[in-house]
Amino acid sequence: MSASAVRIGIGGPVGSGKTRLIERLLPLMSAAGLRVAVITNDLVTTEDAERVQRSGLIDPSLVVGVETGACPHTAIREDPSANLDAAERLEQDHGPLDVIVIESGGDNLAATFTNELVDYWVYVIDTAAGDDIPRKRRLGLLRGDLLLVNKIDLAPHVGADLARMRADVAVARPDRPSLFTDLTQPDGAEAVFSELRHAVLFDRAPAS
Amino acid sequence: MTVFVTQLHGDVGEAEFAGRRVVEVQVAWDEASRRRLRRTATDGTDVAIDVGPNSYLADGAVLHDDGERLLVVARSREPALLIRFDLGLPGAQLIEQATAVGHVFGNQHVPVDVVAGEVRVPLTTSEQIARATVDSLGLDGVTMTVSEVALGARAPLSVGHAHGAPG
């Protein structure tokens, strides 16, 4: 049985709602008794890490920002060493941990996580970024363990056809789960957490 | 009831497993090196796999043996572009061709599988685009087909390059 924390990746384009998803998940994980740490990636800032640290949702010492300094997908796939080192330090300094959430920097539709880094990953897209994204069918959308179509509340404001998106997602991902949500709502991540509990946390009580 | 798998027990072809009823657990190529995975076997059994790092869920790997039934990994068959080279060409030219194919798909961050000299590329775009990618290289003697195959049956697919890598 794995002794280290379960690592959950969150990827997706810039502005899709990755950090917001983390902010919504943290209270749910805390309520479930899980001890969680967060690693965020940005190219040349630690702004996302600072945002989560300021949120009041988690002990700031459990949030680490990694400046990738290169294409974000490199740090979660081709060379995840910086993120692996950050995860190891968190476990050494704050263990035992139940979950480490790793947020990638905003990237293109082909970004994916290596299995060396994460046990499960969520791919987040923004409804307002175009209702044709599911039809473009790039790796991130196709292979993510969970696809989260966020900002569905914006659909009528940008002329996005949600019914079409749902149909396209069903074609692109017939065997993998997808959720449509509005993460500005307090309960916007409950279905996501339910999926995580089943798929990668195995509905078990925390080890810590 | 959930079956929790914490270690792999060998390959279904081994003598010790002869006579057991085999129930498949579908695992895709990009999930095979996961340390944690939850699946439903073909008989409806809920299976929670937690085998730790450095394990590989190869096609035929035995997840669970209760003396009567085996839960066995079955690699999902997925559409792939199968690329074959003319092995009658000079070795230097073949090396050049294989390198070009690997490089062009590596630039797309698409991993490849190599089985018996055949390069297998998971279809992450349309068949037309995948074929055009190879056609653009102008390689003599290369043939392509699209078929559903079990990618990464025994080992992980090769991964792409790292940007800014030295050399």
Side-chain angles (χ1 to χ4, degrees):
Chain A
M1 189 76 86
S2 301
S4 57
V6 174
R7 295 196 291 255
I8 298 171
I10 299 178
V14 173
S16 60
K18 300 183 294 298
T19 309
R20 180 62 63 95
L21 174 60
I22 293 174
E23 291 169 339
R24 291 297 185 216
L25 285 175
L26 285 174
L28 296 171
M29 291 181 170
S30 176
L34 296 168
R35 188 162 161 75
V36 184
V38 176
I39 300 170
T40 70
N41 287 192
D42 260 322
L43 253 68
V44 289
T45 73
T46 55
E47 188 166 322
D48 285 343
E50 292 163 11
R51 170 177 159 179
V52 178
Q53 286 168 338
R54 287 194 307 265
S55 68
L57 299 169
I58 186 172
D59 177 351
S61 69
L62 290 171
V63 182
V64 171
V66 171
E67 290 183 41
T68 60
C71 293
H73 58 80
T74 303
I76 62 170
R77 185 176 57 210
E78 285 80 15
D79 180 12
S81 54
N83 280 306
L84 288 170
D85 287 346
E88 188 175 331
R89 280 200 311 275
L90 281 166
E91 300 228 50
Q92 283 176 351
D93 295 346
H94 302 284
L97 296 170
D98 296 298
V99 177
I100 298 177
V101 178
I102 302 170
E103 179 191 356
S104 78
D107 209 332
N108 58 58
L109 297 177
T112 59
F113 283 84
T114 175
N115 292 333
E116 186 184 353
L117 178 61
V118 301
D119 300 304
Y120 184 96
W121 55 284
V122 182
Y123 196 74
V124 186
I125 62 172
D126 174 1
T127 300
D131 62 8
D132 58 345
I133 289 177
R135 292 197 297 281
K136 295 186 177 179
R137 305 183 64 171
R138 295 303 292 168
L139 275 177
L141 187 143
L142 291 176
R143 308 309 293 200
D145 293 294
L146 174 65
L147 173 68
L148 189 64
V149 182
N150 187 28
K151 306 189 186 183
I152 59 173
D153 54 305
L154 297 182
H157 302 292
V158 299
D161 183 342
L162 271 181
R164 178 75 189 268
M165 290 184 81
R166 290 183 191 276
D168 291 338
V169 164
V171 170
R173 297 172 54 88
D175 302 320
R176 300 189 184 208
S178 305
L179 293 171
F180 285 69
T181 192
D182 169 12
L183 289 173
T184 63
Q185 298 303 308
D187 61 351
E190 286 187 3
V192 176
F193 185 55
S194 179
E195 183 66 28
L196 294 177
R197 290 200 74 160
H198 174 78
V200 73
L201 299 176
F202 297 166
D203 301 310
R204 281 181 148 169
S208 56
Chain B
M1 190 185 86
T2 301
V3 171
F4 288 93
V5 176
T6 58
Q7 64 180 87
L8 302 179
H9 299 279
D11 184 86
V12 67
E14 293 169 10
E16 67 180 285
F17 299 122
R20 303 274 206 279
R21 180 169 60 95
V22 174
V23 174
E24 292 183 343
V25 179
Q26 293 285 324
V27 177
W29 61 267
D30 58 333
E31 300 170 326
S33 54
R34 291 280 178 92
R35 59 177 191 166
R36 292 176 73 93
L37 198 61
R38 192 162 193 168
R39 280 290 172 273
T40 302
T42 53
D43 68 353
T45 302
D46 181 32
V47 183
I49 302 168
D50 183 358
V51 292
N54 303 316
S55 295
Y56 191 69
L57 301 176
D59 187 45
V62 176
L63 300 171
H64 178 75
D65 175 14
D66 65 7
E68 182 271 331
R69 176 191 67 165
L70 298 176
L71 293 177
V72 177
V73 172
R75 180 69 76 249
S76 310
R77 299 181 77 81
E78 299 190 50
L81 180 70
L82 311 183
I83 304 166
R84 297 184 189 86
F85 303 87
D86 177 359
L87 299 183
L89 293 174
Q93 188 175 355
L94 284 172
I95 291 171
E96 194 177 308
Q97 289 188 346
T99 302
V101 167
H103 188 267
V104 76
F105 284 108
N107 270 336
Q108 295 180 9
H109 299 286
V110 178
V112 300
D113 199 9
V114 182
V115 178
E118 177 180 88
V119 176
R120 301 176 170 186
V121 184
L123 271 192
T124 59
T125 59
S126 68
E127 176 182 341
Q128 179 185 6
I129 291 173
R131 284 179 178 273
T133 300
V134 179
D135 285 338
S136 69
L137 300 174
L139 305 177
D140 292 333
V142 168
T143 60
M144 291 179 277
T145 55
V146 171
S147 185
E148 295 212 340
V149 295
L151 293 162
R154 291 294 176 188
L157 275 62
S158 67
V159 296
H161 58 278
H163 291 178

